[in-house]
Amino acid sequence: MADRGTDRVKRGMAEMQKGGVIMDVVNAEQAKIAEEAGAVAVMALERVPADIRAAGGVARMADPTIVEEVMNAVSIPVMAKARIGHIVEAKVLESLGVDYIDESEVLTPADEVYHLDKSEYTVPFVCGARDLGEALRRVGEGASMLRTKGEPGTGNIVEAVRHMRLVQAELKKIAGMSKDELMTEAKNLGAPYELLLDIKDTGRLPVVNFAAGGIATPSDAALMMQLGSDGVFVGSGIFKSEHPDKYARAIVEATTHYQDYELIGRLSRGLGTAMQGLEISTLEPSERMQDRGW
Amino acid sequence: MLKIGVLALQGAVQEHVKSLQAPDVETVVVKRMDQLEALDGLVFPGGESTTMRRLVDKYGFFEPLREFAAAGKPIFGTCAGLILMAEHIVSETEGHLQVMPIEVQRNAFGRQRESFETHLSVKDVGEDIDAVFIRAPLISAVDESVEVLSEFKGEIVAARRDHLLACSFHPELTEDTRFHQYFVQMVRESKETAPSHAAVT
């Protein structure tokens, strides 16, 4: 009589996050700061992306102790990351009771060919995408929420902007195509044909699409909302800034009122130093997290 | 025309806008409190109640929303919206807007993996109502003035008190618009019987 893990229940969970900010945290104290600042969810991690980048080596699912510590600290939803294609990490996170799993390129991929069959799980998944083809492949595998990949841990918004603009442009293109063009477009994008039919009909993605990767300031968050994001993930941007608490609040407000420039101006005053950023062109190809997964 | 607002600080706003559609309804996405005055009814959407409360305080919505309820204008809250309306919240020191004499328990059915969808019978609204529960709260106690509209496994999941309507689940996530249209009818009746209620405050 009660059906769990249906598409509506999994996608609906992401709908409830719209207009909100999801923050990366590494312990209970940070989780509480995030909740108090108005985050709609937290992502429990062992290290934020900037530290993963600095540490190098293989990045894996967080220690379950940290995930549980965060789950016990807050009443808002808790997400956690599993490596791309790592069936067991994902099953472990599901058994811990996390509310959402991020199959994430921030961690070192476990499988270079296959992403998870996310339709197999009761818990919903969010996945990163650089363009519409990638986004729809993930939805085809059962992702209930999407986000841009950006370039995590850099504090540089340019890649997230590129990914969001590309997805929006491709959505418009499909909405304007005639039906007889869609199969060829599906072939070109490497995307399921049925999902293209759906987009032609609705003009939008079948699931919520957030911005992620490189958001460091309130203006960055507002920019991504203006480009059509349903909400934002902030990874290193908050707890790598000088005053995480003020930063967190300012980013939440800028996301809600993304077209109120006077307000964003006020929010940006005296925030202290943002996280230190990285120029994308200085990254070696092997350091580009967005190129993980396909 | 009836003007019905959807509070748009955070959460699933457009879904409500879609479900409220009727020939005599104009919907308004409400981001500033100065938009409240022109409204005949208001929806508190689903989302995260702690986030919404913070933004309610930040943008001075707290008293205006309480006044809106006190003026007898209809309000409909779903999930997080229900939590905002409740007088008491289990294991929290106080409720948020405290406009409806009910007690709610947050995340009462468990975490996301325990979220579910089902069909419910809702008094005065209909049978077999499509109901999606997402980390849903339940109504753990009601004042005698409150009418229980629906129960799931013996727990109260929808209730009404005069002009206030609330439910644990998300009718806005389905194609089934009967619950919203029931609320639209409440707004119609409220406007007909008290044409000058805007002046009450």
Side-chain angles (χ1 to χ4, degrees):
Chain A
M1 210 23 241
D3 298 323
R4 290 180 180 172
T6 61
D7 274 352
R8 260 202 319 213
V9 167
K10 294 201 282 189
R11 292 176 180 186
M13 162 74 198
E15 300 284 347
M16 295 309 134
Q17 305 269 294
K18 282 194 296 195
V21 182
I22 300 169
M23 302 182 191
D24 279 4
V25 299
V26 299
N27 55 39
E29 184 198 353
Q30 290 187 354
K32 282 184 183 145
I33 291 174
E35 183 176 48
E36 184 58 31
V40 290
V42 289
M43 178 78 71
L45 292 161
E46 214 158 301
R47 287 193 285 253
V48 296
D51 289 336
I52 289 174
R53 201 172 267 293
V58 173
R60 309 180 180 91
M61 171 185 85
D63 183 331
T65 319
I66 294 175
V67 178
E68 279 179 344
E69 178 188 320
V70 170
M71 283 168 53
N72 293 332
V74 293
S75 64
I76 55 178
V78 175
M79 303 187 172
K81 289 183 194 288
R83 281 181 267 178
I84 291 172
H86 205 308
I87 300 165
V88 174
E89 283 189 353
K91 287 287 181 192
V92 168
L93 290 175
E94 181 175 56
S95 77
L96 288 174
V98 301
D99 298 297
Y100 237 91
I101 297 175
D102 185 0
E103 186 183 21
S104 178
E105 68 283 2
V106 167
L107 306 181
T108 312
D111 193 322
E112 292 187 328
V113 182
Y114 301 112
H115 283 253
L116 294 167
D117 174 12
K118 294 163 278 285
S119 63
E120 277 291 295
Y121 296 72
T122 305
V123 66
F125 278 78
V126 55
C127 287
R130 289 162 296 184
D131 55 41
L132 187 62
E134 191 173 15
L136 297 181
R137 288 191 290 278
R138 298 295 86 79
V139 174
E141 293 158 353
S144 309
M145 179 181 191
L146 293 164
R147 54 171 176 75
T148 60
K149 283 181 160 177
E151 190 52 50
T154 60
N156 190 336
I157 195 72
V158 67
E159 295 300 306
V161 167
R162 186 199 314 283
H163 301 161
M164 186 55 73
R165 286 235 185 235
L166 191 51
V167 167
Q168 297 293 348
E170 288 171 326
L171 285 172
K172 280 185 209 139
K173 183 178 164 198
I174 286 166
M177 281 181 153
S178 61
K179 193 174 169 226
D180 58 9
E181 295 173 291
L182 291 182
M183 186 59 85
T184 303
E185 187 65 11
K187 173 174 177 279
N188 293 339
L189 290 173
Y193 174 66
E194 289 70 22
L195 292 179
L196 264 60
L197 285 175
D198 183 47
I199 290 171
K200 177 162 170 50
D201 192 35
T202 63
R204 56 185 292 273
L205 284 165
V207 302
V208 163
N209 189 21
F210 271 44
I215 294 155
T217 68
S219 299
D220 286 350
L223 170 63
M224 295 311 298
M225 293 301 288
Q226 207 151 106
L227 293 179
S229 304
D230 291 312
V232 298
F233 282 87
V234 186
S236 320
I238 289 170
F239 291 100
K240 284 283 157 188
S241 71
E242 197 179 356
H243 301 296
D245 171 48
K246 279 167 77 176
Y247 246 87
R249 285 167 190 268
I251 290 180
V252 168
E253 285 175 44
T255 303
T256 304
H257 293 281
Y258 60 91
Q259 286 175 314
D260 187 340
Y261 308 113
E262 278 181 28
L263 173 77
I264 297 168
R266 281 202 301 282
L267 292 170
S268 306
R269 283 172 205 265
L271 276 181
T273 320
M275 70 176 285
Q276 184 163 12
L278 280 175
E279 168 60 41
I280 304 296
S281 61
T282 64
L283 298 177
E284 296 292 332
S286 65
E287 294 174 320
R288 284 166 58 91
M289 291 175 173
Q290 60 176 289
D291 297 334
R292 296 165 167 178
W294 56 279
Chain B
M1 284 296 273
L2 301 173
K3 274 189 139 183
I4 302 182
V6 182
L7 187 66
L9 296 173
Q10 188 271 320
V13 174
Q14 285 310 320
E15 289 71 9
H16 279 290
V17 169
K18 220 170 97 188
S19 299
L20 288 166
Q21 296 306 320
D24 57 341
V25 171
E26 180 189 338
T27 50
V28 181
V29 171
V30 178
K31 287 207 168 203
R32 297 183 323 271
M33 63 175 189
D34 58 21
Q35 293 172 287
L36 291 176
E37 203 185 321
L39 301 178
D40 302 307
L42 182 60
V43 173
F44 295 164
E48 283 305 318
S49 60
T50 49
T51 305
M52 286 187 205
R53 171 59 195 274
R54 212 192 99 60
L55 294 166
V56 159
D57 287 351
K58 184 76 194 177
Y59 297 110
F61 270 103
F62 191 83
E63 280 307 322
L65 289 177
R66 284 175 53 85
E67 282 163 15
F68 192 93
K73 291 192 186 181
I75 297 178
F76 178 24
T78 66
C79 195
L82 155 71
I83 296 170
L84 284 185
M85 291 165 79
E87 198 163 301
H88 301 286
I89 303 172
V90 174
S91 16
E92 290 184 26
T93 46
E94 60 177 349
H96 298 299
L97 296 171
Q98 303 179 31
V99 294
M100 193 167 176
I102 54 174
E103 178 190 76
V104 298
Q105 187 185 343
R106 292 181 65 201
N107 302 334
F109 297 92
R111 303 194 72 97
Q112 173 59 20
R113 66 179 174 188
E114 279 85 42
S115 295
F116 60 94
E117 58 179 277
T118 188
H119 296 276
L120 294 173
S121 163
V122 182
K123 185 171 180 286
D124 299 337
V125 177
E127 295 300 315
D128 255 351
I129 299 279
D130 238 354
V132 182
F133 288 76
I134 295 174
R135 289 170 45 92
L138 62 76
I139 301 171
S140 44
V142 294
D143 181 81
E144 60 187 18
S145 62
V146 174
E147 187 179 13
V148 173
L149 298 184
S150 186
E151 294 187 8
F152 176 72
K153 293 189 174 167
E155 306 284 1
I156 303 170
V157 293
R160 175 176 176 178
R161 189 206 194 205
D162 303 330
H163 60 296
L164 303 171
L165 181 67
C167 64
S168 301
F169 49 93
H170 295 283
E172 74 277 14
L173 288 181
T174 72
E175 304 293 312
D176 189 342
T177 59
R178 284 176 289 172
F179 215 123
H180 282 81
Q181 293 308 316
Y182 174 78
F183 176 66
V184 170
Q185 185 56 32
M186 278 171 61
V187 180
R188 269 185 208 113
E189 285 165 12
S190 146
K191 197 172 182 182
E192 277 162 20
T193 55
S196 62
H197 63 30
V200 174
T201 57

